[in-house]
Amino acid sequence: MTRFALLACAAAFVVAGCSTTGGGDTASASSRDWTAPVGKDGNAPFPSTYKPYPGRPTALVGATIYDGRGGRIDNGTVLFRDGKVAAVGDASLSTTGYDVVDGSGKFVTPGVIDIHSHLGDYPTPSVEAHSDGNEATAPMTPEVWAEHSVWPQDPGFTRALANGGVTALQILPGSANLTGGRSVTLKNVSARTVQGMKFPGAPYGMKMACGENPKRVYGSKGRMPSTRMGNFAVNRQMWLDAQAYDGEKRDLGKETLKGVLDGEILVHNHCYRADEMALVMDMAKEMGYKVTAFHHAVEAYKIGDLLRENDVCSAVWADWYGFKMEAYDGILENAAFLQREGACVVIHSDDANGIQRLNQEAAKAQAAGRRIGIDIPDAEVVGWFTYNAAKAMGIGDMTGSLEPGKMADVVLWNGDPLSVYTRPEKVWIDGALMYDAMDRKRRPVSDFELGQPGEGDVK
């Protein structure tokens, strides 16, 4: 829990226990709704206990608004109250009953969303004792859940909020395994437990990987897979076994796979090469599941039409390439070519530092396209790290854009969000002000940092 979390709890008069339920009682881990497949015994384990922090009716006025869906409003107004966006429009919107924040000369976007993070599973400080993201003991581990490794005190969460405007993120297992396990989507808030961060109603994802990582990890152990053909053989047999699962005896791994086959759990596939992505899409059709997004996807530009036709998003970097053979053919114009083809583009981090500047990464990818004559409007580029990420994570109907009725996950930037000189000035999550660069008391710090030399209790 952060210093700001304690202040917020005090303000809400729930100091006793500081529960994220918003009341005086600590939430039970065996209650509330659950979105994952439920076992025959009726157990619904590890549900979200997240409740928004208290907020105020707020009007952001005079700013340039990017709504996340390609829209731009100059001298616009965003109204939110009770945790939801109430209205988005021009200066004619009435602000009566709202706390008015002057955004003149500034910009407003939806909260930044990272579709590919390992915060909490590979937290800071990066030491072996904190390495909890890869269950690298078998090539297929669909039974593991990333949330069971998440350490809520990871200082990376507060840095992503303050420096990057990140309001939601997907925590994935690593890519050592062909099937790495379930992912979890989190609200980027301070909480005592991962359940207090879990995004309510978000579907689970399942991490898969193709290419070099699985064959290197398991080939070095003298076991299958050691080749790309071994990767596909092991994967196909896994799906055949999952199709035959009758549920008579609970099997945690097959419950996850059944959730994928039933369309309840979304597949996020680590994959670099275009030929492998095409083969994976064929395997998905053979086995009856859908790939939601290819992650890293440095060669996605070669098959933009196939990705568009199969409604598969590409979560990419702006300029990481060449660090291994399957990343050798990456190009700076990857995102721009995908956008030109009408395919879904997401900018992701896969990195505790990169998550703090997804807006800048998107700007770099935009600039690479402009240099070759692909001019992508700023308002569309903002969607690469807001709405498109939300869509690919299955939460696009709840967040990712500034639309009435959606969660009031909002960032006020002190300048153009696609400029290297710009930083978040204020960040709201579900309408609660969680970070304010102008207020030293609203600069969250992890408990783990308190008392450490050079860290202090205020950033």
Side-chain angles (χ1 to χ4, degrees):
M1 191 177 304
T2 67
R3 183 175 186 271
F4 172 59
L6 291 171
L7 290 170
C9 286
F13 301 101
V14 290
V15 179
C18 194
S19 167
T20 56
T21 63
D25 297 329
T26 301
S28 168
S30 61
S31 63
R32 305 192 186 282
D33 294 335
W34 186 241
T35 57
V38 176
K40 280 196 171 184
D41 59 3
N43 287 335
F46 320 115
S48 169
T49 58
Y50 169 80
K51 286 290 184 181
Y53 280 90
R56 294 275 305 167
T58 303
L60 306 182
V61 302
T64 300
I65 300 168
Y66 292 129
D67 67 8
R69 300 295 298 271
R72 170 177 175 151
I73 303 173
D74 294 316
N75 190 24
T77 302
V78 178
L79 306 178
F80 51 90
R81 66 186 312 149
D82 301 323
K84 303 291 185 183
V85 176
V88 181
D90 59 24
S92 67
L93 284 177
S94 172
T95 60
T96 302
Y98 291 86
D99 296 344
V100 176
V101 176
D102 185 6
S104 300
K106 302 171 185 177
F107 289 72
V108 176
T109 70
V112 175
I113 299 173
D114 192 358
I115 194 175
H116 190 121
S117 177
H118 300 293
L119 292 183
D121 279 10
Y122 286 109
T124 303
S126 181
V127 294
E128 184 62 28
H130 277 168
S131 181
D132 289 314
N134 272 309
E135 183 57 42
T137 53
M140 321 299 287
T141 56
E143 64 270 27
V144 304
W145 296 20
E147 66 198 72
H148 296 149
S149 285
V150 170
W151 181 43
Q153 293 186 64
D154 182 358
F157 288 120
T158 55
R159 282 163 170 72
L161 175 71
N163 297 328
V166 174
T167 57
L169 63 166
Q170 178 174 225
I171 310 302
L172 295 151
S175 55
N177 297 347
L178 289 166
T179 304
R182 291 197 198 196
S183 68
V184 63
T185 295
L186 305 179
K187 284 281 195 173
N188 193 16
V189 299
S190 299
R192 296 180 301 171
T193 67
V194 67
Q195 289 167 257
M197 302 175 73
K198 283 178 72 169
F199 194 116
Y204 279 101
M206 188 180 80
K207 174 71 174 292
M208 298 187 70
C210 59
E212 291 182 24
N213 286 13
K215 76 189 191 81
R216 180 188 71 248
V217 170
Y218 293 97
S220 67
K221 297 178 180 180
R223 60 174 298 183
M224 191 174 184
S226 66
T227 63
R228 282 181 163 83
M229 61 183 174
N231 285 349
F232 274 86
V234 174
N235 264 332
R236 294 176 72 216
Q237 188 60 55
M238 176 192 75
W239 289 116
L240 290 172
D241 293 346
Q243 289 172 352
Y245 176 59
D246 60 10
E248 287 299 317
K249 179 181 178 182
R250 285 195 70 182
D251 182 302
L252 294 178
K254 289 186 174 64
E255 283 182 8
T256 293
L257 297 173
K258 182 179 184 299
V260 174
L261 293 173
D262 289 345
E264 298 171 0
I265 296 176
L266 309 181
V267 170
H268 294 271
N269 208 130
H270 160 118
C271 212
Y272 286 76
R273 283 183 7 189
D275 60 312
E276 288 187 276
M277 287 185 267
L279 283 170
V280 167
M281 286 188 284
D282 284 344
M283 177 171 61
K285 292 173 183 175
E286 175 194 15
M287 297 300 174
Y289 70 95
K290 183 182 186 302
V291 178
T292 298
F294 286 115
H295 290 231
H296 312 332
V298 299
E299 291 188 14
Y301 66 94
K302 299 181 180 181
I303 55 168
D305 55 335
L306 296 180
L307 294 166
R308 181 191 67 244
E309 291 163 7
N310 286 276
D311 189 29
V312 180
C313 290
S314 297
V316 302
W317 297 296
D319 53 9
W320 281 13
Y321 73 97
F323 46 88
K324 54 181 174 177
M325 280 306 303
E326 64 186 1
Y328 183 80
D329 224 6
I331 62 172
L332 303 180
E333 301 82 6
N334 191 17
F337 279 129
L338 288 167
Q339 184 78 13
R340 188 185 67 178
E341 289 296 315
C344 171
V345 179
V346 180
I347 297 294
H348 72 340
S349 78
D350 191 27
D351 180 69
N353 291 314
I355 194 174
Q356 300 176 43
R357 53 188 64 87
L358 289 173
N359 57 314
Q360 295 177 22
E361 295 300 300
K364 288 194 292 184
Q366 177 194 36
R370 186 179 294 127
R371 286 193 292 269
I372 61 168
I374 302 175
D375 194 5
I376 305 164
D378 292 354
E380 292 186 17
V381 172
V382 167
W384 292 355
F385 54 89
T386 58
Y387 178 74
N388 286 5
K391 170 191 170 185
M393 292 159 60
I395 55 176
D397 60 342
M398 293 183 279
T399 191
S401 59
L402 299 177
E403 299 178 82
K406 285 195 172 184
M407 295 170 171
D409 298 337
V410 184
V411 182
L412 176 67
W413 305 84
N414 63 10
D416 184 341
L418 299 179
S419 167
V420 70
Y421 299 107
T422 294
R423 287 177 53 85
E425 183 173 300
K426 292 179 172 63
V427 182
W428 291 265
I429 298 179
D430 281 318
L433 182 58
M434 304 301 292
Y435 171 73
D436 187 349
M438 313 307 290
D439 182 353
R440 291 176 63 82
K441 294 181 179 180
R442 290 187 185 269
R443 300 180 191 175
V445 176
S446 166
D447 271 359
F448 184 77
E449 298 176 281
L450 294 177
Q452 294 192 35
E455 301 296 338
D457 62 350
V458 173
K459 286 285 185 290

